[in-house]
Amino acid sequence: MPHRPLSIHPHTDMLHELPKTMRPREKMLTMGSSSLTDAELLAVMLGTGLPGQSVLQLADTLLETFHGLAGLLQASPAQLRAAKGLGGSARRAQLLAVLELSRRVLIQKMRQRDLMNNPETVKQFLQLQMGSYPHEVFAMVCMDSQNRLLGFQEMFKGTLNQTSVYPREVVKHALEQGAASVILAHNHPSGDVRPSPADSHLTRTLQQALSTVDIKVLDHIIVGPGTHWSMAESSPW
């Protein structure tokens, strides 16, 4: 009996040739989302692949291109637009929506708990918020006396190599927020998140300026695509 050829959808995929329990969407519904690999989760969101490329293959390619889910979620709109398979506005909008949902979930968590008991939440938020910027941005997280979030503000924007930060404006904003403590943050577009001598000097300057109004600097976090550096954790503070 001749072998029946595979029926391939013109837009993509050989997923319908897999047993239902192995298809990402069905697997998620029956076994839970945690059972899926990164590629399978992305495939569920994408829905379909490309001509000659299944949705799982497309998902694998995108994860390789952006160095994982973190890189994909932190990619700029221009980077997403240039990626094969994400040229359509609907898919880019879906990814940007996922990113914004992630930010809002983290913001909600930050408002409800002592941030210094769960510093990873702050780092994850800062990476999602600032990690993909092509230029340096200086920001500040303001907290109350229980270390709960009062607000997050991007204060200064610079070039690829330098940001001008004005201590007077930093102090003014912290006072306006009623902050008892702050976490400083900025990004390194190069991806090398190790602090430079200028970063260390800026941290000391802002610590001194804020201490005059009895506001503590709890950390200075440097972020890049998919990575971060805590100055408080990596050196005497």
Side-chain angles (χ1 to χ4, degrees):
M1 180 176 179
H3 181 68
R4 182 175 62 88
L6 289 177
S7 173
I8 300 176
H9 188 280
H11 289 294
T12 53
D13 247 91
M14 293 167 277
L15 289 186
H16 60 282
E17 297 293 336
L18 293 173
K20 280 192 174 183
T21 55
M22 295 299 293
R23 300 176 194 174
R25 185 177 299 171
E26 286 76 7
K27 182 179 175 182
M28 181 172 67
L29 293 174
T30 58
M31 301 176 63
S33 56
S34 62
S35 68
L36 271 63
T37 65
D38 289 353
E40 288 172 333
L41 280 171
L42 182 56
V44 170
M45 197 208 70
L46 293 172
T48 60
L50 298 172
Q53 186 178 38
S54 76
V55 67
L56 275 172
Q57 291 170 331
L58 174 59
D60 276 328
T61 299
L62 288 171
L63 291 175
E64 182 177 352
T65 299
F66 289 98
H67 307 290
L69 279 177
L72 181 60
L73 285 178
Q74 294 175 51
S76 68
Q79 289 172 318
L80 294 178
R81 189 164 50 250
K84 184 179 180 183
L86 296 179
S89 58
R91 283 183 170 176
R92 294 201 309 277
Q94 285 177 302
L95 280 172
L96 293 172
V98 169
L99 174 57
E100 185 58 27
L101 285 170
S102 301
R103 286 186 185 127
R104 294 187 187 192
V105 167
L106 291 172
I107 282 282
Q108 184 174 339
K109 288 182 179 180
M110 290 162 67
R111 292 192 188 279
Q112 295 172 344
R113 63 183 62 176
D114 182 334
L115 295 183
M116 300 318 292
N117 285 337
N118 191 10
E120 285 304 312
T121 300
V122 183
K123 296 169 189 173
Q124 291 166 8
F125 169 77
L126 292 171
Q127 279 184 228
L128 287 175
Q129 182 71 28
M130 304 167 58
S132 65
Y133 287 166
H135 51 268
E136 285 197 11
V137 172
F138 176 88
M140 184 164 58
V141 177
C142 290
M143 294 168 289
D144 65 15
S145 57
Q146 279 75 49
N147 293 329
R148 292 174 302 197
L149 177 70
L150 291 171
F152 166 80
Q153 182 66 40
E154 294 179 3
M155 304 273 307
F156 309 104
K157 296 181 181 180
T159 65
L160 283 171
N161 302 310
Q162 180 178 331
T163 299
S164 297
V165 176
Y166 301 97
R168 180 180 297 180
E169 293 300 314
V170 171
V171 172
K172 178 182 176 183
H173 180 73
L175 287 172
E176 289 173 347
Q177 293 288 304
S181 59
V182 301
I183 294 174
L184 310 174
H186 76 281
N187 66 310
H188 281 182
S190 67
D192 182 354
V193 294
R194 292 172 297 181
S196 67
D199 294 333
S200 299
H201 177 71
L202 173 63
T203 303
R204 290 191 295 270
T205 298
L206 294 178
Q207 282 177 315
Q208 292 169 2
L210 287 160
S211 69
T212 63
V213 291
D214 200 27
I215 296 175
K216 296 180 181 179
V217 177
L218 299 182
D219 203 346
H220 188 166
I221 297 172
I222 304 170
V223 300
T227 186
H228 64 263
W229 184 287
S230 165
M231 293 181 69
E233 293 175 3
S234 59
S235 61
W237 194 247

